[in-house]
Each structure stands twice: as C-alpha cells, then as structure tokens.
Amino acid sequence: MKLGEKVRQVVQGVQGDFTLNTEDILFFRGRLCVACDEELQYAILRNAHSSPYAMHPGIYQKVKAEHHYPSRLLQPLKIPEWKWERITMDFVSSFSLTSTKKDDIWVIMDHLMNRSHFLAFRTSYNLQKLPELYIAEIM
C-alpha cells in the first residue's frame, strides 16, 4: 500500500497505528515513514551517520565485516582439573569507604567452579599485601 493511501486512511480515522504530525508527516507507532525509494533511504542513513551531530559519525563504516582481518578457527579453552588452577582477576575501585576503611574490591574468579570471590581492600595496600590477602582469604 502506498503512503498516500495510508495518509488518507489516517485522515478518515481507519488506521490506529499510523498518525500524522502537525506538518502532515506520516508516522507508524512514533517512527517516521519513508517511501520505498532506495536513494532516499540511503541519503537519510548517510546524512544521519555523517552529520556533526551524529552519535558516531562515520564509525559504522569501520566496523563492517569487510574491514576486519579474517579470523582463525576458535581454539578450545583448556579445562582446569583442580579448583583455583585457572583464575582471572580484576580490580574495581573508587567506592565509598567502609567501616574498616576499605574502598576497593579485588574480584577473583575460579574457572572450574565458575565462582567469584570479592575481596575488599584499601587503595593504600602495597603489592606485598595483596598476596597475603589472597592466601588468607582464598587458600
């Protein structure tokens, strides 16, 4: 059905999901209706992605598949046999001070058990204190 026919139906009150704004522009559920004209649709997309006001100007061209190196076959991850054999760590910082004056969290995840431990510590801890904390809390 052509857009002109939809406009006529909206004016007659037949189409509930379609509306006209104050400038008689047709919308479907709050979204602008554009004619099935490939050149017009491409021009709108190009303008939206290239304008200085766009959220990510020109970025959409850089992430297309043809701009990436071909990937290799996926390699399976080694499955650990013992708890805490394979871990990952991350630090989350800048929290409010707790009653024990700790403001950072050390996240340690065990891949075999798929469990995480969250250890609170102070930003002022030196590197020698972290292994002691690991042994005391994890081991």
Side-chain angles (χ1 to χ4, degrees), residues 99-116:
S99 59
T100 56
K101 306 283 190 229
K102 296 179 180 174
D103 56 354
D104 289 349
I105 296 176
W106 185 11
V107 182
I108 305 170
M109 183 169 180
D110 173 28
H111 287 267
L112 177 67
M113 303 298 290
N114 200 24
R115 292 195 178 160
S116 297

Side-chain angles (χ1 to χ4, degrees), residues 3-103:
L3 289 181
E5 294 174 35
K6 287 288 180 192
V7 170
R8 236 183 344 274
Q9 289 178 351
V10 171
V11 171
Q12 295 171 353
V14 178
Q15 290 292 330
D17 287 336
F18 288 89
T19 57
L20 291 174
N21 71 358
T22 57
E23 299 171 8
D24 290 334
I25 296 175
L26 186 65
F27 286 84
F28 176 74
R29 296 182 183 163
R31 294 182 178 183
L32 176 67
C33 293
V34 178
C36 290
D37 180 353
E38 204 171 293
E39 274 187 48
L40 174 62
Q41 292 171 346
Y42 182 74
I44 290 170
L45 286 173
R46 186 178 58 242
N47 189 18
H49 285 88
S50 301
S51 100
Y53 305 108
M55 292 296 289
H56 51 281
I59 297 298
Y60 75 105
Q61 287 293 336
K62 295 178 186 173
V63 297
K64 287 190 174 179
E66 65 260 15
H67 297 290
H68 291 243
Y69 292 110
S71 60
R72 301 181 317 209
L73 293 175
L74 295 176
Q75 301 297 317
L77 295 174
K78 181 184 172 238
I79 299 172
E81 296 179 17
W82 299 96
K83 291 190 282 185
W84 302 105
E85 179 182 336
R86 185 162 182 268
I87 62 170
T88 54
M89 302 181 222
D90 200 3
F91 294 95
V92 185
S93 60
S94 301
F95 287 102
S96 300
L97 287 176
T98 64
S99 59
T100 56
K101 306 283 190 229
K102 296 179 180 174
D103 56 354

